[in-house]
Amino acid sequence: MEKLLMKGNEAVGAAAIKAGCRHFFGYPITPQNEIPEYMAKELPPLGGTFVQAESEIAAINMVYGAAGAGARVMTSSSSPGIALKQEGISYIAASELPCVIVNMMRSSPGLGGIQPAQADYFMATRGGGNGDYYMPVYAPASIQETVELVMEAFEVADFYCTPVMILGDGMIGQMMESVEFPEPKKRNLPAKDWATVGTGGKRKPNIINSLRIEPDVLEPHIQKLLDKYEVIKKDETLYEKVNCEDADVIAVAYGTISRVVRNAIKKCEEEGIKLGLIRPITLWPFPFAAFEEISPNTKAFLSVEMSAGQMVDDVKIAANGRIPVEFYGRYGGNVPKPDEVVAKVKDILGGGK
Amino acid sequence: MEKLLMKGNEAVGAAAIKAGCRHFFGYPITPQNEIPEYMAKELPPLGGTFVQAESEIAAINMVYGAAGAGARVMTSSSSPGIALKQEGISYIAASELPCVIVNMMRSSPGLGGIQPAQADYFMATRGGGNGDYYMPVYAPASIQETVELVMEAFEVADFYCTPVMILGDGMIGQMMESVEFPEPKKRNLPAKDWATVGTGGKRKPNIINSLRIEPDVLEPHIQKLLDKYEVIKKDETLYEKVNCEDADVIAVAYGTISRVVRNAIKKCEEEGIKLGLIRPITLWPFPFAAFEEISPNTKAFLSVEMSAGQMVDDVKIAANGRIPVEFYGRYGGNVPKPDEVVAKVKDILGGGK
Amino acid sequence: MSLVFEKTKGLTDVPFHYCPGCTHGIVHRLVAENLVELGVLGSTIGVAPVGCAVFAYNYFNCDMQEAAHGRAPAVATGIKRVHPDNVVFTYQGDGDLAAIGTAETVHAAVRGENITIIFINNAIYGMTGGQMAPTTLIGQKATTAPYGRQKEVQGSPIRVSEMLATLEGAAFIERVSVDSPGNVRKAKKAIKKAFECQIQKKGFSMVEVLSTCPTNWGMTPVDSLTWLEENMMPYYPLGNIRTPEED
Amino acid sequence: MSLVFEKTKGLTDVPFHYCPGCTHGIVHRLVAENLVELGVLGSTIGVAPVGCAVFAYNYFNCDMQEAAHGRAPAVATGIKRVHPDNVVFTYQGDGDLAAIGTAETVHAAVRGENITIIFINNAIYGMTGGQMAPTTLIGQKATTAPYGRQKEVQGSPIRVSEMLATLEGAAFIERVSVDSPGNVRKAKKAIKKAFECQIQKKGFSMVEVLSTCPTNWGMTPVDSLTWLEENMMPYYPLGNIRTPEED
Amino acid sequence: MALNEEVIFAGFGGQGVLSMGKMLSYAGMMKGKNVSWLPSYGPEMRGGTANCSVIVSDDLIGSPVVTEADTLVVMNRPSLDKFEKSVKPGGIIIVNSSLIDQKVKRDDVTVYYFPVNEIATECGSAKAANMVMLGAYVKLKGFISEADLLGAFLKVFGEGKKNLLPLNEKAVAAGAELVK
Amino acid sequence: MALNEEVIFAGFGGQGVLSMGKMLSYAGMMKGKNVSWLPSYGPEMRGGTANCSVIVSDDLIGSPVVTEADTLVVMNRPSLDKFEKSVKPGGIIIVNSSLIDQKVKRDDVTVYYFPVNEIATECGSAKAANMVMLGAYVKLKGFISEADLLGAFLKVFGEGKKNLLPLNEKAVAAGAELVK
Amino acid sequence: MANGKVTFDYNSCKGCGLCVTACPKKIIFLDKERINLKGYNPATVEKMEECIGCANCAMMCPDMIITVERL
Amino acid sequence: MANGKVTFDYNSCKGCGLCVTACPKKIIFLDKERINLKGYNPATVEKMEECIGCANCAMMCPDMIITVERL
Ligand SMILES: Cc1ncc(C[n+]2csc(CCOP(=O)(O)OP(=O)(O)O)c2C)c(N)n1
Ligand SMILES: Cc1ncc(C[n+]2csc(CCOP(=O)(O)OP(=O)(O)O)c2C)c(N)n1
Ligand code: SF4
Ligand code: SF4
Ligand code: SF4
Ligand code: SF4
Ligand code: SF4
Ligand code: SF4
Ligand SMILES: [Mg+2]
Ligand SMILES: [Mg+2]
């Protein structure tokens, strides 16, 4: 397979196209502009459409329309732009439409800055929008993984009729790494016989809708979503466990920061400290199973984030009081350094072992 | 003091006015329309302004402007409308502006229904918007408490320079109860010398802003927010504990559903079961302290919600593995009945005690 | 004996939930009849708004999508870009289209998006109980304009059709009314032209329909028609505002 | 020896971050000079956009608020309703004002909100690196219109001034350019009139300024002025579009 | 025994069903009771069904949702179908027999059939049917006097409706008459 | 020893600093190494500073952010001020002495001063200063050949820039010449 | 003049009266004596012989409950 | 014709050249020999005696680094 050197953002676009995505609706925002720009260039020759919407809200609602019409469709943005899409995402989840939403997170709150951050974990994993809904959230840690997860995201979206989020950060979006494009892994997908394509006078109208005015109709509908979420939890949870057997401390980190932790693992090794890593690949469903078996040696979990502490909530729920949960984070666009992580680990272990 | 029979929505408006709010920006949505309607009627004679914005987004940004200009200001909406305000709320929190935001929750996700629900707990308590920010969230359980918390909300907002949310539901908004209007409790508030009122040529410009392009400038700013949040956690957490000593099971419920639990407590009593209640009044900060001392008798916490389970995450963090955390919820506009809660309690206790 | 009028097959059998005398029902019929007469019902995809017509997806006998409040033109764009040869229309109220959905409406027209918008201007927010709309007339009372709309406070009502007509992408725009049998017939023709414009791929088309809301205007249905004629028509003049050149 | 020109006190000492030859700087100066000349700098509150002018709050020597992308007119409305006697203005790009902020712009005008908008039309998204704006010309390339804007795909550019002029609340609207010393002087006068309109409480005022973006147009600053004259001016004709009656 | 009366009022949109609940709540509040009034609300502006839950109690009120009513007052037929099951055993159902020809099926509740529309028409206006019904209700229950109810009428509708007082007085009295 | 080279390239916006990193990354990748390239990005379109982190490694690459560089290549003065401290003890700093008159203050690193602008001008275009610098860099480090670097040039800039190859060949050679 | 015949779907009428004003022959009225299942006074025609089958009533009926035939 | 004098804030110039085209006397040019602190070739006037103090250059300078005086 040919190796290419590619920016994360471009790789997202290329992977989406490879996965059969022919419709993209977006709005510019740093640091993800190369995604719409790539799609604007590549889709028209393929007979697809790129629309630069008038806003993030318009974009997500165009996605709703296109997904309802049966297309593989994607949108992308970054933190404040994703905040604007929350109502739309809630509609898409409620109407059970498949689509892929990319968030290359930047530093926040407010306008914040444009440097990488991971402070949209809450917004991604537990409904930034209204109501009881979730969506699978993938957090790639390399460009290669980005490509694979974007392809997977389209399959998962279609398989479960759900929006799927790719949660990267400015670093994933802007960095280049070498990457290969394998053939997408195809699932056995149900036919989109619910899509609005015109009745052709041959069947009853298809209706895409999230309104259920009667509680006794809405409640079972939500239950249907919840049941689906249980299946996703069971079948789609992904994580990686590194160096965890007998670890003194187990770090929990996702996306780019998991790579910082890998460097910290090496540095710890040099000092005779065993640092483990649980790397959630799906943030929702959160890989609670990864936390089940821990060695009696392990003193604590350490959530390392480019935020003021968001995933740490899930780590606490996973730890369930068995061992302490510690947190180390940098924010505002700063990236934790391996040495800082090592220092924190030593701190947890009482000033070194 | 005169007793009035008032709808929750109207009481919100009346309490805001009593608290000195003279500016309201909103957009219609069921089941909170009586709030803007009340303000539209009552504010102009007081020299205040009511603006029906073109959208929820415009409304929250008008609030940003008015708050930055030094006014006591409020907006209100319901679930999907609040989802649309997420970017704006993130900006307000980041720019440290005081204001009050009311969410009379309806059933969701998507367009959902218009009946009461509590499925915006996540969106309210952990950043529906982008970035690391929180805001005090008050969950009144009666119209009288609504009045008191709305007044308090304005003081807290000004004291900490933060947005504050009143999280009610369609029931709180639509029901009538008797209510009295005490004088608002005044705090010793700092002068709003940061507000944009014109320099008068006498000082350097005041700037309201959330952009900090340098990570080393943004990070300390976020740290300032986090430090403030710690003070709020320490000083502003509110909760009520009912019947918890030696309780067999302690229910955790907020807002209107805490009243259903009160009925369930009575029904349990009749059957010789002791059901306790922890009622968070602030949802953020969540009253973790209320969970500290529990009797060895207590078999479980039971989170009761008009949602598919959101607060239950915080209850789990609070329980920290000491005793099991159970959940009972109804959703889609249905309200849990006391008998259902009793049944669940019995179930937890193994089919009755 | 020949049948002069019966309910069109373009509508389902579900009875309308609209209030007695609400002209939403008339407009539904006109849209549906046209789709049948143009032979495109089976290839049509409609988009329902949030507003009193929120249940429109139950009424039109074609594939339908329910949009978030104000976003119907964006939803329609998404659909149309996937199925450029299908007929795609939105049905929207004045709050939906001219308030929260302003950007989506304007930019569908800017793009010359080849869709048709049926715009129900009843000068009020019907569904939510009579709040002021951007098209509420000066002096008209609404629950959020209890002292009547004042130019100085809430500004003057927006003439959406005239505003959109400044955009080059807007191929067909006409304002009609359904206050009398004659105007209903004209309205039907305008809606037909709008759909034809789309079928011929000439770009964005919109028909603004002056409509009544007896419930929130606080009048009988019959008085509402008179009020529409006497108050709305002078401010919102009927007629064609844009037509594709070849026509 | 008399001073004919020096930097106005209406601006702070902070040097502009704009690219060499970007005309944003000229417009900043015109706004600031007018505020000083009208004697209202001390009572003025400005609203900065998200766009290249995002740091405008560091430049104007008056109280400032930074708005979310597109929401400056809403923010200005909030400020103005609190301080009706202060001068409130927004400074916005074409992406900010004419794309994401369309609804906020239109409705500030509909309400006749007594604020002034300075609208920088440079036919591109400057800050984010040259994506298509609603005002990008037909044939003009942008990073998201790599094949050039096509009428059939992206629609025709929006003429915001003409569109807003259909609204009764819009008291003063003029389009100017800053491509030559003469036009800069005219632009300054128009901006003065807009502020006067606000000071006299006549309602919404806007000045659209045709401006360059050498960086994203991929031209030298000087060539950019020529491109503006030859390409933008024909599509966006200069001149007054609305003036309050008494003037 | 401490008072704890939980009532459901139900009927068509235009029948003044919500006002019945409001008047009872107001009267209860003025007597120093704790009260709550909770309407159901739907998307249909006219012609839909309307109902409200009212609780008047000496105790603090728990859930304002009445699911086991002490009393059910039904003004039209769909409401009877819907709420018949929501009355507690031993409770009361008052039926507007002017519009409901059907009989209550349950035998563990006390049922009253009052033709309140006809009686209201006799009093001068069919619109006062709800006041006739309320008159009957307070008489039956006894914890609110007819005078208190009329006081509540003014509170709910405002002094502006004082001119309607005589009609309503008549209607309430006629309603009370129905209860022997 | 396994290769793990972490480099920071830094300079003005227009100096081709990001391309230097890209070319090195490409060349590394074509040699079968793991590579990562991470630019810093700011809000200023022109005239701002630009820099990128590049890692070329036989191992899997951890964090793509280089905080302790093996090599720092600085093309202008502000970059030297900013990144001087980010080089690991024993590392290398290569300074564009055409634009930087200042000397490196640290004494625990090896420093090279190359007047690459002048040399590039001699080769035919001041714009090729970055290629001169890269030539010097690869020569110094040895893990990439000059030919591989020129191969990467075409990959990064596309076959369309083939006409610039001779100039760049010259520049790279001249850069390599600087390293004895 | 043509002879027409109109039929109302009795129980679907909402008694709005739009057909009443629309009829050029003024032969439609709301029957105050009767209340249909929906709770309204339904529209009715008594002098059907005067109907000209112009369908104006049907044009205006928002609920499409009128069928018009012409002889 | 009036006599003018222009002064440039040397290190603030971005070398954009807008003043160059604006000058009716064509006396401003970008000094390719010099690079200022910002890294640009700054605008300069050599034949100052020809300056008429019209301030066209200042009108166009986006960075307001030109001061114009008239004698
Ligand atoms: C985001 C959002 N905001 C507000 C609402 C509430 N809402 C429902 S319909 C409506 C307005 C309807 O008015 P209009 O569009 O004029 O339609 P009509 O009912 O008059 O036909 C509003 C504000 C909503 N459902 N979603
Ligand atoms: C909600 C949101 N969406 C998108 C962006 C990214 N963004 C920043 S500036 C800008 C456009 C700027 O273009 P314009 O308004 O024309 O101003 P210019 O830079 O051309 O002066 C965009 C899309 C953002 N910051 N926030
Ligand atoms: S509320 Fe108004 S617009 Fe809505 S159905 Fe009733 S009459 Fe029609
Ligand atoms: S990018 Fe364009 S608009 Fe922005 S500062 Fe540079 S030249 Fe000006
Ligand atoms: S068809 Fe014409 S004449 Fe006959 S009832 Fe209808 S409106 Fe009257
Ligand atoms: S118009 Fe239709 S619904 Fe209205 S009264 Fe006539 S027949 Fe009945
Ligand atoms: S003042 Fe006029 S003549 Fe003098 S340098 Fe400037 S533009 Fe030229
Ligand atoms: S216009 Fe100003 S910045 Fe540009 S070259 Fe002239 S003096 Fe320098
Ligand atoms: Mg309307
Ligand atoms: Mg622009």
Side-chain angles (χ1 to χ4, degrees), chain A residues 261-281:
Chain A
V261 171
R262 279 178 202 269
N263 290 9
I265 289 175
K266 280 194 199 156
K267 296 208 171 200
C268 278
E269 228 163 65
E270 289 163 19
E271 310 206 25
I273 299 170
K274 187 155 187 213
L275 176 62
L277 167 66
I278 293 177
R279 177 169 78 91
I281 298 172

Side-chain angles (χ1 to χ4, degrees), chain B residues 15-346:
Chain B
I17 289 177
K18 184 112 193 183
C21 170
R22 292 293 177 273
H23 296 85
F24 183 95
F25 304 90
Y27 188 79
I29 185 168
T30 308
Q32 60 82 57
N33 287 317
E34 295 84 356
I35 302 178
E37 287 166 2
Y38 186 91
M39 297 310 247
K41 193 153 164 251
E42 302 299 335
L43 281 176
L46 295 168
T49 21
F50 165 84
V51 176
Q52 180 174 317
E54 56 272 28
S55 71
E56 289 85 356
I57 292 184
I60 193 71
N61 285 286
M62 289 174 187
V63 166
Y64 173 96
R72 279 207 159 173
V73 54
M74 183 164 86
T75 187
S76 66
S77 188
S78 179
S79 308
I82 295 288
L84 286 169
K85 291 183 196 280
Q86 294 307 319
E87 187 207 24
I89 295 175
S90 176
Y91 268 72
I92 291 173
S95 306
E96 299 195 83
L97 296 178
C99 70
V100 175
I101 300 156
V102 181
N103 181 359
M104 291 298 179
M105 293 180 281
R106 52 190 254 181
S107 45
S108 290
L111 187 48
I114 56 179
Q115 301 306 320
Q118 296 184 317
D120 300 345
Y121 180 91
F122 283 147
M123 179 163 74
T125 60
R126 48 201 83 190
N130 52 304
D132 287 306
Y133 71 94
Y134 296 88
M135 63 188 155
V137 178
Y138 292 97
S142 69
I143 310 301
Q144 185 62 47
E145 196 178 33
T146 302
V147 164
E148 284 152 25
L149 291 178
V150 166
M151 290 177 177
E152 176 75 347
F154 279 98
E155 292 289 310
V156 167
D158 278 352
F159 194 77
Y160 295 99
C161 285
T162 179
V164 176
M165 182 169 277
I166 301 288
L167 193 67
D169 61 47
M171 231 186 307
I172 278 285
Q174 293 298 325
M175 74 191 275
M176 288 180 126
E177 288 189 308
S178 74
V179 60
E180 295 173 345
F181 283 81
E183 278 311 304
K185 286 193 208 103
K186 290 280 172 202
R187 297 187 182 210
N188 206 338
L189 295 176
K192 292 187 174 179
D193 51 14
W194 42 262
T196 56
V197 299
T199 63
K202 293 192 193 99
R203 55 159 172 76
K204 290 206 165 168
N206 282 340
I207 297 172
I208 305 294
N209 177 35
S210 68
L211 174 63
R212 280 160 184 83
I213 204 76
E214 288 295 334
D216 287 338
V217 179
L218 181 52
E219 192 170 46
H221 176 66
I222 296 176
Q223 191 56 55
K224 184 184 166 209
L225 297 180
L226 298 174
D227 293 347
K228 174 164 86 178
Y229 297 150
E230 287 309 311
V231 179
I232 296 177
K233 282 183 192 169
K234 193 167 66 59
D235 293 348
E236 307 296 341
T237 307
L238 296 176
Y239 60 89
E240 187 186 5
K241 250 174 124 163
V242 182
N243 214 31
C244 285
E245 325 72 42
D246 272 328
D248 297 308
V249 169
I250 295 178
V252 189
Y254 70 92
T256 47
I257 295 317
S258 69
R259 299 170 62 144
V260 174
V261 171
R262 280 178 201 269
N263 290 9
I265 289 174
K266 280 196 200 155
K267 296 209 170 198
C268 278
E269 229 164 65
E270 288 164 19
E271 310 206 27
I273 299 170
K274 188 154 185 214
L275 176 62
L277 166 67
I278 294 176
R279 176 171 79 91
I281 298 172
T282 50
L283 302 183
W284 189 93
F286 190 75
F288 290 107
F291 296 77
E292 265 161 29
E293 303 216 337
I294 39 166
S295 131
N297 246 1
T298 305
K299 308 292 175 304
F301 292 119
L302 169 61
S303 190
V304 185
E305 308 177 41
M306 272 198 292
S307 85
Q310 301 196 357
M311 181 175 67
V312 65
D313 270 16
D314 279 329
V315 177
K316 280 182 188 163
I317 293 171
N320 200 24
R322 288 170 300 162
I323 53 172
V325 173
E326 303 281 343
F327 169 72
Y328 185 74
R330 292 295 300 271
Y331 22 91
N334 278 325
V335 181
K337 298 202 178 98
D339 280 349
E340 296 167 14
V341 177
V342 174
K344 179 73 189 184
V345 170
K346 285 188 186 164

Side-chain angles (χ1 to χ4, degrees), chain C residues 5-192:
Chain C
F5 185 92
E6 67 171 345
K7 186 171 169 176
T8 168
K9 293 278 167 284
L11 293 167
T12 64
D13 292 334
V14 183
F16 293 157
H17 70 289
Y18 300 109
C19 307
C22 173
T23 46
H24 264 303
I26 301 180
V27 188
H28 278 29
R29 172 171 69 79
L30 302 184
V31 170
E33 285 178 352
N34 274 317
L35 291 174
V36 171
E37 289 167 23
L38 290 164
V40 295
L41 185 69
S43 73
T44 296
I45 303 161
V47 182
V50 178
C52 276
V54 71
F55 298 118
Y57 55 75
N58 284 328
Y59 306 143
F60 289 109
N61 205 355
C62 59
D63 282 0
M64 294 288 298
Q65 293 198 23
E66 165 59 37
H69 189 36
R71 318 306 174 189
V75 172
T77 298
I79 300 169
K80 188 75 183 186
R81 296 285 174 139
V82 174
H83 300 303
D85 296 327
N86 287 42
V87 171
V88 178
F89 77 93
T90 74
Y91 184 102
Q92 305 178 254
D94 39 16
D96 195 75
L97 178 142
I100 191 169
T102 309
E104 286 74 11
T105 308
V106 167
H107 284 277
V110 166
R111 282 191 305 271
E113 204 67 50
N114 195 27
I115 58 171
T116 301
I117 291 184
I118 308 296
F119 166 33
I120 305 299
N121 181 356
N122 60 8
I124 203 88
Y125 282 26
M127 178 175 228
T128 40
Q131 293 81 13
M132 191 188 79
T135 54
T136 294
L137 295 175
I138 297 291
Q140 186 185 341
K141 282 192 185 169
T143 56
T144 50
Y147 308 106
R149 182 174 189 157
Q150 294 163 270
K151 190 178 183 319
E152 299 68 36
V153 181
Q154 293 100 343
S156 300
I158 183 172
R159 292 190 189 90
V160 176
S161 291
E162 282 79 353
M163 186 179 84
L164 295 185
T166 64
L167 302 171
E168 303 210 346
F172 180 88
I173 297 182
E174 185 158 328
R175 188 183 285 117
V176 299
S177 169
V178 288
D179 60 306
S180 68
N183 278 338
V184 168
R185 291 189 175 95
K186 284 188 201 152
K188 181 166 173 187
K189 281 204 192 100
I191 293 172
K192 180 165 284 168

Side-chain angles (χ1 to χ4, degrees), chain D residues 1-7 11 15-23 25-26 29 178-181 184-185 221-222 225, chain H residues 4-5 14-18 21-22 38 40 53-64 66-71:
Chain D
M1 202 80 168
S2 69
L3 216 50
V4 187
F5 184 91
E6 66 171 349
K7 186 171 169 177
L11 293 168
F16 293 157
H17 71 288
Y18 301 109
C19 306
C22 172
T23 46
I26 302 180
R29 172 170 70 77
V178 288
D179 61 305
S180 68
V184 169
R185 291 189 174 94
V222 171
L225 295 183
Chain H
K5 180 168 168 253
K14 291 178 182 165
C16 69
L18 296 196
T21 16
K38 273 200 152 77
Y40 298 111
C54 67
N56 273 6
C57 52
M59 269 309 113
M60 291 306 291
C61 177
D63 290 274
M64 275 156 297
I66 311 179
T67 312
V68 186
E69 288 160 298
R70 219 178 280 168
L71 297 177

Side-chain angles (χ1 to χ4, degrees), chain D residues 90-103:
Chain D
T90 72
Y91 183 103
Q92 304 178 254
D94 40 16
D96 195 75
L97 178 143
I100 190 169
T102 308

